[in-house]
Amino acid sequence: MSERSGFQLGVIGSLALSVASSVAIVICNKALISSLGFPFATTLTSWHLMVTFCTLHVAQRLHFFEPKYIDGRTVVLFGLLNGTSIGFLNLSLGFNSIGFYQMTKLAIIPFTVLLETLFLKKKFSRSIKFSLLVLLLGVGIASVTDLKLNLLGSILSILAIATTCVGQIMTNTIQKRLKVSSTQLLYQSSPYQAAILFVTGPFVDQLLTKRSVFAHSYSTVVLGFIILSCLIAVSVNFSTFLVIGTTSPVTYQVLGHLKTCLVLSFGYILLHDPFTARNIVGILIAIFGMALYSYFCVRETKKKSTNDVLPISQMADKESMPLLATKSLGLHQDKDGNETKKADGIPPATKNSLAL
């Protein structure tokens, strides 16, 4: 019981860390991009990942965690996939309207559910699906403004959805199958994510902004916000892997939409962004959907835990079988003993295997 309580506290802590760090980095980056005129988001993300790797390397050297070997092919593929998904998301934002970009992010949840159902044979109850539908409806009302379509933007959005979903499913699958922690996986994969964005970032940013990151004038204030953004990003990246590893990719996406609602709210309160009754209604519906999702998840987890616990009588029977087998093995000396063993209810096949 104490282990389960500790696990639940760990999940709550990882969720809280993810929300707090994500909202903080959005506010920091908004000030950096909008107020200070530094629009190079993809390059900035590569710096985030490099600082994350350096921080984890120092932590590993100080024995805060033990590195665990993951085969090179898995790590490289995983790192490149996650780095590519970030690039496609930024390109999708650059070549689409804000409304269509929000629709792209909304599509990640149903697409993740579809992939897990088809390839991982995971089952989602009607209650979970209904709560996700309510959540998506609320976020759509709160954040989606216009839906201007174009061919290139649509292709980029599809690629962003596919790579993001597969990357997040791999995050969860690798941690569980290889029994590695979120810290160990992030430490192994972050150099590859950083490398692909470090190489492609300046090109992507110049394509989107028509400006070069190398020609930008770096004032003391800009450098200060970049450093702050990188430090917050360490917490964001760590909590992302932690949440996906301890919960699921779908839960992480639900949490992401909670962040969207909080960012909209903070934008209105702190930055005085435009806020309408539609935003308020959408956020309330989304929060209701998140509450439903949390309730149904907890209920189904408790139900599964109850079903997994064997009755005491069955446990007693299971524990007594090896003892009986051992006792019979001791009497197994002659022909009479063999007949007695068979009469005790142990089949001949089991007897022969024990004798071997």
Side-chain angles (χ1 to χ4, degrees), residues 244-267:
I244 295 176
T246 54
T247 57
S248 71
V250 174
T251 299
Y252 175 72
Q253 286 300 324
V254 170
L255 189 69
H257 292 307
L258 171 60
K259 299 171 191 174
T260 300
C261 294
L262 289 175
V263 168
L264 288 173
S265 302
F266 276 109

Side-chain angles (χ1 to χ4, degrees), residues 57-119:
H57 185 69
V58 172
Q60 183 266 323
R61 288 290 185 181
L62 295 175
H63 304 290
F64 284 104
F65 72 95
E66 291 295 327
K68 188 171 183 179
Y69 172 77
I70 305 173
D71 66 279
R73 184 179 177 182
T74 299
V75 171
V76 172
L77 176 62
F78 175 74
L80 294 179
L81 181 64
N82 277 276
T84 303
S85 72
I86 295 171
F88 278 134
L89 282 170
N90 285 335
L91 284 171
S92 175
L93 178 59
F95 284 91
N96 290 303
S97 64
I98 297 295
F100 192 77
Y101 175 72
Q102 291 296 335
M103 286 298 296
T104 298
K105 294 179 70 176
L106 288 178
I108 292 174
I109 285 184
F111 198 77
T112 301
V113 171
L114 177 64
L115 287 180
E116 291 194 318
T117 302
L118 291 177
F119 296 102

Side-chain angles (χ1 to χ4, degrees), residues 71-339:
D71 66 279
R73 184 179 177 182
T74 299
V75 171
V76 172
L77 176 62
F78 175 74
L80 294 179
L81 181 64
N82 277 276
T84 303
S85 72
I86 295 171
F88 278 134
L89 282 170
N90 285 335
L91 284 171
S92 175
L93 178 59
F95 284 91
N96 290 303
S97 64
I98 297 295
F100 192 77
Y101 175 72
Q102 291 296 335
M103 286 298 296
T104 298
K105 294 179 70 176
L106 288 178
I108 292 174
I109 285 184
F111 198 77
T112 301
V113 171
L114 177 64
L115 287 180
E116 291 194 318
T117 302
L118 291 177
F119 296 102
L120 300 181
K121 307 303 180 185
K122 189 173 181 179
K123 295 182 180 180
F124 295 87
S125 66
R126 291 183 179 179
S127 300
I128 293 294
K129 292 177 181 177
F130 173 73
S131 64
L132 291 175
L133 182 63
V134 174
L135 166 67
L136 295 177
L137 176 64
V139 176
I141 292 173
S143 62
V144 176
T145 52
D146 60 281
L147 294 176
K148 295 178 182 178
L149 303 178
N150 65 82
L151 180 60
L152 178 59
S154 300
I155 293 173
L156 291 171
S157 292
I158 292 171
L159 291 173
I161 292 169
T163 53
T164 301
C165 291
V166 174
Q168 291 178 358
I169 291 173
M170 281 186 66
T171 301
N172 181 268
T173 304
I174 290 173
Q175 289 188 57
K176 289 183 177 178
R177 289 188 179 178
L178 301 184
K179 292 180 171 49
V180 296
S181 68
S182 56
T183 309
Q184 291 167 333
L185 180 57
L186 181 59
Y187 177 61
Q188 296 276 359
S189 63
S190 55
Y192 300 99
Q193 296 182 56
I196 190 171
L197 291 178
F198 187 75
V199 172
T200 61
F203 170 75
V204 172
D205 287 332
Q206 187 160 11
L207 187 65
L208 297 177
T209 65
K210 311 300 181 186
R211 294 165 57 185
S212 172
V213 66
F214 303 109
H216 187 77
S217 177
Y218 292 89
S219 65
T220 304
V221 177
V222 169
L223 288 174
F225 268 87
I226 289 175
I227 293 172
L228 178 61
S229 179
C230 289
L231 293 176
I232 299 174
V234 175
S235 178
V236 172
N237 291 325
F238 173 74
S239 62
T240 296
F241 278 61
L242 189 61
V243 169
I244 295 176
T246 54
T247 57
S248 71
V250 174
T251 299
Y252 175 72
Q253 286 300 324
V254 170
L255 189 69
H257 292 307
L258 171 60
K259 299 171 191 174
T260 300
C261 294
L262 289 175
V263 168
L264 288 173
S265 302
F266 276 109
Y268 173 71
I269 296 171
L270 300 178
L271 305 175
H272 305 291
D273 289 341
F275 211 66
T276 64
R278 175 183 169 179
N279 297 128
I280 297 173
V281 171
I283 288 174
L284 291 176
I285 294 175
I287 292 174
F288 177 65
M290 288 176 222
L292 283 178
Y293 177 78
S294 301
Y295 170 75
F296 291 134
C297 281
V298 170
R299 190 180 69 176
E300 291 183 9
T301 300
K302 287 183 178 179
K303 184 178 179 181
K304 184 179 178 181
S305 300
T306 303
N307 291 337
D308 288 343
V309 176
L310 287 171
I312 296 177
S313 59
Q314 292 184 21
M315 292 179 66
D317 291 341
K318 278 199 166 190
E319 290 175 356
S320 63
M321 285 295 292
L323 295 176
L324 289 173
T326 305
K327 185 177 180 180
S328 299
L329 186 62
L331 297 174
H332 166 63
Q333 294 178 355
D334 52 21
K335 184 176 180 180
D336 293 337
N338 288 341
E339 290 175 353

